[in-house]
Amino acid sequence: METKKKILIVEDEKTIAEILLYNIKAAGFDAEARHDGKSGLDEALTGKYDLVLLDLMLPVMDGFEVCEKLREKLDTPIIMLTARDTEQDKIKGLDTGADDYMTKPFSINELMSRVRANIRRYSNETVMRKITDTTIVVGDVVIDCENYLVKKGDKTLELSKKEYDLLAHLSKNLGKIYSREELMSDVWGYENFYGDLRTIDVTIARLRQKIDGDGAGESLIKTKRGMGYFIAPPEK
Ligand code: CA
């Protein structure tokens, strides 16, 4: 069974907080409420929540400040709730890092649909982040995809953006042979390419030189004659 998504409500008007708690739980979520900005922020910073509903006018610390401070640490989706309906508030709310904005009074159905949409979008982003976060290790070459760093042993390689992209692409798909046309489209992003495919060969040559040095050993990036380039899976 899928675990319930958790929502934090930060709202000082207890009646509204209770209506929200009731409806959110009825919609199948877990929910907690806090009634001032400071305790709302502390609770949100525990990182337990999938979304925060944040009232703007709050005692101790207002919604803008909560939003700003939360954003310094976490990217939990935030929907701001406010009784004020001014363009400036909305802009300021989004500027401080809120993902969405609702003006009171709002329909609970609309709120719930925005809650779902924001949680869904966030989960998709998280999945993507996990994929790009991975560190790829091929032989003695380590590719840190989060920081765009490539190391061979303890030496950091100075790669251009395209050299990095090319290496990362081949490494993420170990063993798959890519034609120059495919690399042009996948790495350079040219769908209809009329230019010079030798760009690929030149980039590969530079990359090999940086990775392999002048070493006489076998190159990490292999050529399959007449077909293209690939990086083989490491020996077991
Ligand atoms: Ca309030």
Side-chain angles (χ1 to χ4, degrees):
M1 203 186 89
E2 206 180 332
T3 52
K4 283 184 180 179
K5 299 284 184 190
K6 272 183 96 78
I7 296 173
L8 176 65
I9 301 157
V10 188
E11 165 67 78
D12 59 321
E13 285 166 77
K14 300 247 164 86
T15 325
I16 297 181
E18 255 155 47
I19 292 169
L20 288 173
L21 269 176
Y22 175 83
N23 282 284
I24 286 167
K25 285 180 177 170
F29 296 95
D30 267 345
E32 289 276 336
R34 291 294 180 275
H35 307 294
D36 69 80
K38 178 74 174 69
S39 57
L41 176 65
D42 289 345
E43 184 61 22
L45 284 173
T46 61
K48 287 190 296 198
Y49 296 92
D50 299 288
L51 185 132
V52 178
L53 289 177
L54 180 61
D55 184 30
L56 183 56
M57 301 300 281
L58 289 166
V60 191
M61 185 189 281
D62 75 14
F64 292 133
E65 200 180 341
V66 173
C67 193
E68 214 161 33
K69 293 226 157 80
L70 180 56
R71 272 292 167 271
E72 287 169 11
K73 303 266 196 270
L74 295 174
D75 50 5
T76 315
I78 299 169
I79 301 180
M80 275 211 176
L81 308 174
T82 179
R84 302 200 304 202
D85 184 18
T86 72
E87 195 66 12
Q88 269 129 326
D89 275 356
K90 183 171 179 173
I91 291 166
K92 192 172 173 195
L94 297 174
D95 274 352
T96 51
D99 298 271
D100 211 342
Y101 194 94
M102 289 198 80
T103 309
K104 296 175 191 170
F106 44 76
S107 99
I108 206 80
N109 285 338
E110 188 184 350
L111 178 70
M112 290 318 300
S113 93
R114 295 219 201 164
V115 164
R116 286 191 195 92
N118 278 282
I119 288 180
R120 199 160 46 231
R121 197 175 63 213
Y122 181 62
S123 322
N124 290 341
E125 282 172 5
T126 311
V127 169
M128 285 185 57
R129 207 171 301 125
K130 274 187 192 140
I131 291 167
T132 54
D133 266 3
T134 41
T135 301
I136 305 167
V137 182
V138 201
D140 58 351
V141 175
V142 178
I143 306 165
D144 172 354
C145 300
E146 198 178 18
N147 301 302
Y148 304 99
L149 273 178
V150 179
K151 282 190 160 192
K152 181 173 170 135
D154 3 312
K155 198 177 135 221
T156 301
L157 305 179
E158 300 289 330
L159 303 185
S160 73
K161 173 80 168 68
K162 278 289 172 276
E163 288 163 0
Y164 171 84
D165 289 345
L166 190 56
L167 179 63
H169 190 64
L170 292 172
S171 305
K172 280 177 188 164
N173 302 282
L174 287 181
K176 181 169 167 24
I177 301 167
Y178 285 91
S179 69
R180 293 187 294 172
E181 287 82 357
E182 283 170 327
L183 291 174
M184 208 27 117
S185 147
D186 294 352
V187 178
W188 272 256
Y190 301 147
E191 285 302 329
N192 299 298
F193 179 66
Y194 300 104
D196 195 342
L197 288 172
R198 277 176 302 181
T199 306
I200 306 285
D201 302 329
V202 171
T203 310
I204 293 271
R206 278 203 313 255
L207 196 48
R208 277 178 172 159
Q209 202 173 31
K210 289 180 182 179
I211 295 171
D212 309 324
D214 302 323
E218 211 180 332
S219 177
L220 180 76
I221 302 168
K222 313 218 183 307
T223 307
K224 184 88 178 169
R225 199 172 289 279
M227 291 177 73
Y229 297 105
F230 68 106
I231 295 178
E235 306 279 327
K236 292 222 172 78

